[in-house]
Amino acid sequence: SSPVPVDWYPTLAVVMVAVGLMFTASFFIYEATSSRRNRSLAKEIATATIASVFLGFGSLFVLLASGVYV
């Protein structure tokens, strides 16, 4: 059995993709507005990692909610 109830799949998909897109937008805004001297590699890696985790799990739940069991 699944550790997450099947009824939660669509909600988790929307929430995780939305949070992932917000972190992605934050990453792009940070890259576009900060100068090369003021950029922090640790902040870039942390933001990109968080965005990729949320987008990865979000896409997994999108597939599960649509009936593609992976």
Side-chain angles (χ1 to χ4, degrees):
S1 81
S2 173
V4 178
V6 177
D7 296 339
W8 291 7
Y9 289 170
T11 305
L12 284 172
V14 169
V15 168
M16 288 192 167
V17 168
V19 171
L21 288 175
M22 285 191 289
F23 275 104
T24 303
S26 170
F27 177 79
F28 283 121
I29 290 170
Y30 177 75
E31 290 294 321
T33 58
S34 63
S35 66
R36 289 192 177 181
R37 292 182 186 155
N38 295 334
R39 289 185 187 160
S40 168
L41 182 62
K43 184 175 180 180
E44 291 178 11
I45 290 174
T47 306
T49 302
I50 293 169
S52 68
V53 166
F54 275 104
L55 287 174
F57 279 110
S59 62
L60 172 70
F61 282 112
V62 165
L63 289 171
L64 291 174
S66 65
V68 180
Y69 294 102
V70 290

